[in-house]
Amino acid sequence: MQFSRLESANAASPVRFTCNGQVVEARAGDSVATALLLAGIGSTRDTALSGEGRAPYCLMGVCFECLVEIDGVPNQQACLVPVSDGMSVRRQEGAPQVWDG
Amino acid sequence: MSAVHDLVIIGAGPAGIAAARSARADGLDAVLLDEQAEPGGQIWRAVGRVARERPGDLGIFGGSYAKGAGPVADLWGCELRFCATVWHLHRAEDAWEVVFSRSGAAERVRTKTLLIATGAMERPVPIPGWTLPGVTTIGALQLALKQSGAYPTGRVVLMGGGPLALLLASQFKAAGVPIAAELDTAPANRLSVAARYLPGAVLGAADTLLDGLRLLRGRTAITGVAPLEILGEGKVEAVRYRDGSGLHEVPADHVALHEGVVPNTQLTRLLDLNHVWNPVQRCFHPVLDPFGESSVADVFVAGDGGGILGWRAAQAAGALAAAQIAWRLGAIVESERDLRAAHHHGRIAAERRLRRFLDALYPVPDWLRLPEDRTTICRCEEISAGRVREMARLGCAGPNQLKAYLRAGMGACQGRMCGLSVTEILAETQGRTPEEIGYGRIRPPIKPVTLDELASLYQEPTS
């Protein structure tokens, strides 16, 4: 699953953030979810049960498939969060580890 | 305690925007909240920014989209909160309290009256393989194109039925986005059934019908399609479907699905408003009086969240509810309210006639209502239709008990994706009606919140 951007939409100001350390070049006005799709990050999480990969399904805040960790806070709906410079995004992989030390 | 507003409107789509502008004109102290960064809802997503920054793209999206540029630009003087995700509504002492999060911090506003304008969501399309990366809704692709000018590349298969499916295909053509295959899932023989509603639709909304006819021009879709399966290992590789000529498999990198829209009832369910089953649209919607007031006093619902009628009706319903609220709060006189109501009721009645035609043209097919056993229906907790049938045969009393048995509806989406499937499958398996089965209880928070956000709401008691 690859996405591209219309030439007309490339003029918006650039925004740069990372996903699992990989630099993502986005545009102002993108949601994190759409920016990840455009960057070729086709799967945004692995499920907590079977571990299978999932990707944004609705892009309007109802499917919860795009849950990611943003700046250390897990379970953010990537389709509802606008991109901003320096943001650190991480995929959610499997069940969360509960620290009991 | 903070100030009590006259009105809080949740959702800045056509209904919420119309209500906010009407309330502003009447001098009400209103607040408009939306979880997106910009006004417009889904139909007018990012239209203000598109009109400013890439006006050439307005032509891609068609007339209904461009019509949003005016309303979204005319919210001056309205109190607006964007990126505001509402996660709880409740009655606190003598006011309604709306609890939401913005930028990681929780806030609350208090209000005398509440207007829920949270609109529609696309009906989930559970077929085998619909959880694979590379499968989205057709609406999702349209939103990506509006908001970011983003479109899928490679072999793109659109598989669905309904006005939005036609619209996206025409928008992709206008934008120069190649479509590998357009598979139309609408039953082929419906026009004769729908024809008796056509005169009403023509009288009511001839312009909308004409827009629809234009979408059909030069179309090369394969019609009468019944989807069977989306195939792939870790990502989409092919689509299997059946049509009049037999079984087919087409290679695909991206599959977009759409089978109409249903009300997003998360907030109306949270408040436990009375809901009713719509046997034609096969979904629940809240019971509303002619002004949009729900079964709970001072709680109004406007737009597709109150029943699917489309954006023109939503605009009218938003302004109608706002007029009733303004009258109740003493901002306008009764005769003024009645004058406006007559106008808005006329618009809504016309759109209702159009909707009867569309509903007859695009009935909900059985393969969609009753997925085969192996199909995952609850995406969050990975539960199949077959498991739900098993519990139904064991005598599961309803969606709430099913949560205890299977956790269906208890994952992150809180039943948004599986709720209607659960109702339909339990009803079918147990020989009961969807009304008898009902819907799972929705509890707060309806969106994920952190303990930090919860704690930030705590106020030290004053001694």
Side-chain angles (χ1 to χ4, degrees):
Chain A
M1 174 171 62
Q2 294 289 326
F3 277 75
S4 196
R5 197 191 299 269
L6 296 176
E7 199 51 47
S8 54
N10 264 325
S13 29
V15 174
R16 184 179 283 206
F17 66 98
T18 62
C19 178
N20 285 42
Q22 177 190 335
V23 174
V24 175
E25 303 275 358
R27 291 285 179 277
D30 288 350
S31 68
V32 170
T34 306
L36 295 179
L37 290 172
L38 280 159
I41 299 166
S43 161
T44 42
R45 73 180 185 106
D46 298 336
T47 64
L49 278 95
S50 67
E52 67 184 33
R54 292 286 176 84
Y57 173 73
C58 76
L59 289 183
M60 57 164 283
V62 294
C63 78
F64 291 71
E65 292 291 8
C66 66
L67 293 182
V68 292
E69 183 187 302
I70 300 177
D71 294 332
V73 182
N75 296 323
Q76 305 285 300
Q77 290 186 277
C79 70
L80 295 179
V81 180
V83 294
S84 67
D85 272 314
M87 198 173 237
S88 171
V89 177
R90 297 198 73 81
R91 292 182 81 243
Q92 295 192 173
E93 288 157 7
Q97 299 298 306
V98 178
W99 185 65
D100 62 357
Chain B
M1 214 32 106
S2 55
V4 178
H5 297 278
D6 289 330
L7 169 64
V8 168
I9 303 161
I10 305 171
I17 289 173
R21 294 168 71 199
S22 175
R24 175 186 62 187
D26 293 332
L28 298 188
D29 163 24
V31 182
L32 175 62
L33 303 171
D34 196 282
E35 61 185 356
Q36 286 290 332
E38 309 164 82
Q42 309 311 331
I43 183 159
W44 295 334
R45 174 79 72 92
V47 67
R49 200 155 43 80
V50 170
R52 280 192 311 275
E53 296 177 6
R54 43 189 183 108
D57 288 353
L58 284 176
I60 293 171
F61 298 110
S64 291
Y65 186 65
K67 285 192 183 85
V72 302
D74 181 34
L75 287 169
W76 183 86
C78 298
E79 192 175 338
L80 310 171
R81 313 265 170 93
F82 293 110
C83 290
T85 296
V86 174
W87 49 265
H88 191 27
L89 297 176
H90 67 124
R91 188 79 191 164
E93 294 163 32
D94 54 350
W96 289 97
E97 191 166 85
V98 180
V99 191
F100 61 97
S101 289
R102 267 198 305 181
S103 313
E107 300 172 48
R108 48 188 156 192
V109 286
R110 289 157 51 76
T111 181
K112 293 173 194 160
T113 58
L114 197 54
L115 176 60
I116 299 172
T118 46
M121 51 176 259
E122 289 177 274
R123 184 188 292 279
V125 188
I127 57 173
W130 74 308
T131 53
L132 284 168
V135 181
T136 65
T137 65
I138 276 180
L141 294 187
Q142 194 191 44
L143 292 171
L145 193 65
K146 288 172 180 171
Q147 186 171 356
S148 294
Y151 60 91
T153 57
R155 295 162 299 188
V156 178
V157 175
L158 307 184
M159 180 159 66
L164 190 62
L166 297 177
L167 185 58
L168 183 75
S170 94
Q171 290 167 338
F172 270 8
K173 279 167 202 156
V177 177
I179 301 168
E182 199 183 334
L183 307 177
D184 188 339
T185 59
N189 54 355
R190 293 298 295 186
L191 198 55
S192 56
V193 180
R196 66 187 160 124
Y197 300 110
L198 190 56
V202 170
L203 280 174
D207 48 343
T208 311
L209 273 181
L210 277 176
D211 285 347
L213 280 175
R214 272 184 217 111
L215 298 179
L216 294 170
R217 207 168 44 195
R219 192 158 175 259
T220 53
I222 295 163
T223 55
V225 165
L228 295 175
E229 186 171 8
I230 301 167
L231 303 164
E233 283 295 324
K235 64 180 173 59
V236 169
E237 287 160 19
V239 182
R240 218 174 256 167
Y241 67 93
R242 194 177 49 228
D243 68 4
S245 69
L247 295 176
H248 306 275
E249 189 175 311
V250 289
D253 301 302
H254 193 111
V255 178
L257 304 170
H258 178 78
E259 296 294 335
V261 297
V262 295
N264 181 348
T265 56
Q266 223 66 14
L267 285 175
T268 55
R269 288 279 181 191
L270 173 67
L271 285 178
D272 212 12
L273 308 180
N274 288 344
H275 287 68
V276 66
W277 176 256
N278 180 325
V280 178
Q281 297 183 345
R282 304 210 69 89
C283 56
F284 290 101
H285 60 75
V287 178
L288 304 174
D289 82 355
F291 292 95
E293 191 165 13
S294 73
S295 55
V296 172
D298 299 325
V299 177
F300 291 73
V301 182
D304 277 354
I308 303 302
L309 286 175
W311 70 270
R312 289 179 177 85
Q315 272 193 309
L320 177 64
Q324 174 74 340
I325 290 164
W327 168 70
R328 192 170 288 170
L329 296 176
I332 61 173
V333 296
E334 191 168 4
S335 58
E336 169 64 17
R337 180 207 64 180
D338 291 345
L339 199 66
R340 294 189 205 174
H343 172 73
H344 298 314
H345 281 143
R347 182 77 252 178
I348 292 168
E351 295 299 325
R352 205 178 288 285
R353 287 193 285 272
L354 171 68
R355 192 56 43 175
R356 279 195 202 108
F357 173 68
L358 292 175
D359 285 346
L361 205 53
Y362 300 108
V364 178
D366 283 348
W367 61 260
L368 178 62
R369 285 199 308 119
L370 304 165
E372 59 180 293
D373 278 352
R374 67 185 171 122
T375 309
T376 297
I377 60 149
C378 171
R379 299 173 64 107
C380 302
E381 299 292 328
E382 301 179 60
I383 293 150
S384 67
R387 291 282 286 148
V388 177
R389 288 194 178 97
E390 233 174 273
M391 296 305 131
R393 284 191 287 264
L394 283 174
C396 175
N400 291 317
Q401 194 175 51
L402 193 73
K403 292 183 193 175
Y405 285 0
L406 293 180
R407 287 193 52 82
M410 295 184 73
C413 91
Q414 292 171 297
R416 290 165 174 88
M417 290 291 108
C418 69
L420 287 174
S421 296
V422 163
T423 296
E424 290 270 18
I425 294 169
L426 289 179
E428 171 77 12
T429 311
Q430 298 183 336
R432 298 157 75 194
T433 63
E435 293 94 321
E436 288 170 324
I437 297 292
Y439 196 84
R441 180 84 179 91
I442 301 300
R443 296 178 198 285
I446 67 148
K447 290 272 179 161
V449 290
T450 63
L451 287 174
D452 268 356
E453 285 167 275
L454 280 177
S456 72
L457 286 175
Y458 179 74
Q459 291 160 334
E460 288 290 338
T462 49
S463 52

